[in-house]
Amino acid sequence: MPFSWSARTTQTISAAALSALLFASAKKHFQEPRFFSPVVPDYLCREDFAAEHGEPNSKEPTPRNGALAVMSREEWIAVSGLLEAAAAVGLLIPATRKAAARGTTLMFTAFLAGHVDALRRAYSPEGTASERRIHTLRLPLQLPLILWARSLAGVKRGV
């Protein structure tokens, strides 16, 4: 008897694969947070008072760029790692898969801002050739990720 793939089997395998990718990325957020530093836009990051003034015991945050600068770069990286881990778990559970896929689609779409900002900085006078190569490759990878998550959410074109 020949084996045939059902749509449900294909979706389950696809969800498991995206989940594995998200788990790996979440793990990397905590093991190598510096990898993600360039894709956190400066306008989202506050600086710690201590870092600005050389006072290691001070915990008082100081907004750098206004209302959006609510967390430090390290906190944004940790939160995004936690969101990726939560999305990975949600994709593995059939009852939460559609909601997790929609959330993952939104998350990947929101990450575009960071990738565009990193690319802008890479091509600024302070950017290096290595940064230009890395971010020129990294930005377009977001589109297939967005489309992959969107396909798991069951979103059809024009709907």
Side-chain angles (χ1 to χ4, degrees), residues 83-157:
L83 287 173
E84 288 184 356
V89 170
L91 289 171
L92 291 176
I93 303 168
T96 61
R97 183 170 297 147
K98 187 175 274 195
R102 286 183 178 175
T104 303
T105 303
L106 290 173
M107 179 179 67
F108 286 149
T109 303
F111 288 173
L112 277 174
H115 288 283
V116 168
D117 189 61
L119 188 64
R120 179 193 58 78
R121 281 184 276 121
Y123 280 92
S124 74
E126 294 83 29
T128 67
S130 174
E131 290 170 335
R132 285 191 276 284
R133 275 192 308 276
I134 289 167
H135 296 296
T136 298
L137 293 172
R138 228 170 155 179
L139 176 63
L141 290 175
Q142 287 302 110
L143 182 60
L145 291 172
I146 291 167
L147 295 174
W148 188 3
R150 187 173 184 252
S151 74
L152 291 171
V155 177
K156 305 289 184 217
R157 287 183 74 174

Side-chain angles (χ1 to χ4, degrees), residues 26-90:
K27 182 179 174 186
K28 189 171 181 105
H29 275 76
F30 297 101
Q31 289 180 330
E32 296 180 52
R34 286 185 148 182
F35 178 79
F36 298 95
S37 289
V39 294
V40 180
D42 290 338
Y43 59 82
L44 290 179
C45 302
R46 67 164 166 68
E47 290 185 24
D48 288 337
F49 183 85
E52 289 178 8
H53 296 89
E55 298 176 21
N57 295 329
S58 177
K59 300 289 185 208
E60 182 183 343
T62 308
R64 176 176 28 203
N65 293 327
L68 293 177
V70 296
M71 292 189 286
S72 69
R73 186 171 311 277
E74 294 77 18
E75 290 167 336
W76 280 112
I77 292 167
V79 166
S80 63
L82 291 173
L83 287 173
E84 288 184 356
V89 170

Side-chain angles (χ1 to χ4, degrees), residues 1-7 9-10:
M1 177 176 188
F3 180 79
S4 66
W5 291 90
S6 69
T9 301
T10 301

